[in-house]
Amino acid sequence: MRFCDFFIDYKLELKSIKSTIPWNELPFYRKLAVILIFILGVIGLIVIILGYKMPALILLTLCFLLMFIFIIIDSTEKNQRKMLDEHYSKYSKKRMDAFLKLIKKYNINPLDKESIKLLIEQAGEAKIKYDVFLPLKKPIKTLGAIIIPIIAFVAQKLGYATTTDQLITMCIQIVMIIICAFAILFSISPIVKEIINRDSLRYDDLIYDLKQVLIFYNNKKD
């Protein structure tokens, strides 16, 4: 019996417990916000590609305004309490009950702080060892250090060769493209990481669950 066996068993157990809330159980305001933000985002990108600057700016502004309104509505005490009682608490109990059962299966007592801490350390070491992005981090930093001065030089030359109105127009277009690019990257990055570096997220989940045992369950009687 080794840590890798325990980790595989943990992943299988985690897969059997759905963390997402089914679409039909989401509050109406969440469904509406998701649909409207998606529609506005798609239309905004199409308008930018077609070159309509002002309509694109208006649509992006509406998209951010809608997100802000959604955050305010979702943060109200009533909605937070409802989500806690109907979803979060039930999921947490189901997950931790299954996790406690799993560690007992591997002869680990939830009251044994040293064993839990050793598992946390082992999970942290394994996460670093098997991180597929780790070898790429240094080359990416080096590439960034080379590209940024080139971009600054090109921007300076363009500034000399263009009028003030043209420069303002270019800046607006670049800002809108950057915002859209970051929005897309922010949306797809969890999916990409889930596909390429899935175990890294599972190690984070394992460390988190082990810490919950130390905080909330370690003082309970077995």
Side-chain angles (χ1 to χ4, degrees):
M1 186 181 298
R2 297 182 301 159
F3 175 79
C4 58
D5 304 322
F6 170 75
F7 182 63
I8 292 171
D9 210 349
Y10 172 77
K11 289 193 293 183
L12 293 172
E13 190 66 40
L14 198 67
K15 189 182 292 186
S16 66
I17 303 173
K18 291 184 178 180
S19 59
T20 55
I21 303 171
W23 175 261
N24 61 324
E25 294 182 16
L26 283 174
F28 174 74
Y29 70 88
R30 285 199 176 192
K31 293 179 183 177
L32 183 63
V34 169
I35 293 170
L36 290 178
I37 290 171
F38 176 78
I39 292 173
L40 287 173
V42 171
I43 296 174
L45 285 174
I46 293 172
V47 172
I48 289 173
I49 292 170
L50 294 176
Y52 298 106
K53 305 176 191 67
M54 189 54 65
L57 187 61
I58 293 171
L59 284 168
L60 287 173
T61 303
L62 285 174
C63 190
F64 282 112
L65 181 62
L66 182 62
M67 290 174 66
F68 180 70
I69 293 171
F70 161 72
I71 291 171
I72 292 175
I73 295 173
D74 195 55
S75 300
T76 61
E77 183 179 349
K78 179 183 176 182
N79 288 328
Q80 287 288 297
R81 176 61 61 183
K82 183 177 180 182
M83 294 301 294
L84 177 65
D85 294 339
E86 295 183 3
H87 300 288
Y88 303 147
S89 293
K90 291 179 181 178
Y91 168 73
S92 294
K93 185 179 186 308
K94 185 177 180 181
R95 177 172 178 143
M96 293 312 299
D97 285 348
F99 185 64
L100 289 170
K101 183 179 178 181
L102 176 65
I103 61 176
K104 289 176 182 177
K105 173 183 172 182
Y106 284 83
N107 300 316
I108 300 170
N109 190 334
L111 298 178
D112 187 349
K113 290 185 179 182
E114 291 305 315
S115 293
I116 301 297
K117 289 177 181 178
L118 283 172
L119 277 175
I120 292 173
E121 290 178 10
Q122 183 66 60
E125 291 173 5
K127 178 187 174 183
I128 295 172
K129 182 179 179 180
Y130 297 109
D131 185 359
V132 298
F133 292 120
L134 191 61
L136 301 175
K137 289 179 181 179
K138 189 174 181 179
I140 289 173
K141 286 182 180 179
T142 305
L143 184 62
I146 296 171
I147 290 175
I148 289 173
I150 295 173
I151 293 174
F153 176 76
V154 172
Q156 186 180 24
K157 292 298 181 182
L158 285 173
Y160 291 141
T162 55
T163 65
T164 303
D165 290 341
Q166 289 175 329
L167 191 60
I168 292 172
T169 301
M170 287 175 59
C171 287
I172 293 173
Q173 290 175 329
I174 291 170
V175 168
M176 288 192 295
I177 291 171
I178 290 173
I179 291 173
C180 290
F182 269 100
I184 293 170
L185 287 172
F186 182 77
S187 301
I188 67 172
S189 59
I191 300 172
V192 173
K193 192 170 183 180
E194 179 71 27
I195 295 171
I196 299 176
N197 204 23
R198 180 178 298 181
D199 278 357
S200 177
L201 298 175
R202 299 292 84 82
Y203 284 122
D204 286 337
D205 290 335
L206 175 57
I207 292 169
Y208 180 84
D209 287 337
L210 287 166
K211 288 181 178 179
Q212 304 316 297
V213 173
L214 285 176
I215 296 168
F216 296 105
Y217 296 86
N218 204 261
N219 293 323
K220 290 187 176 182
K221 291 182 179 180
D222 193 12

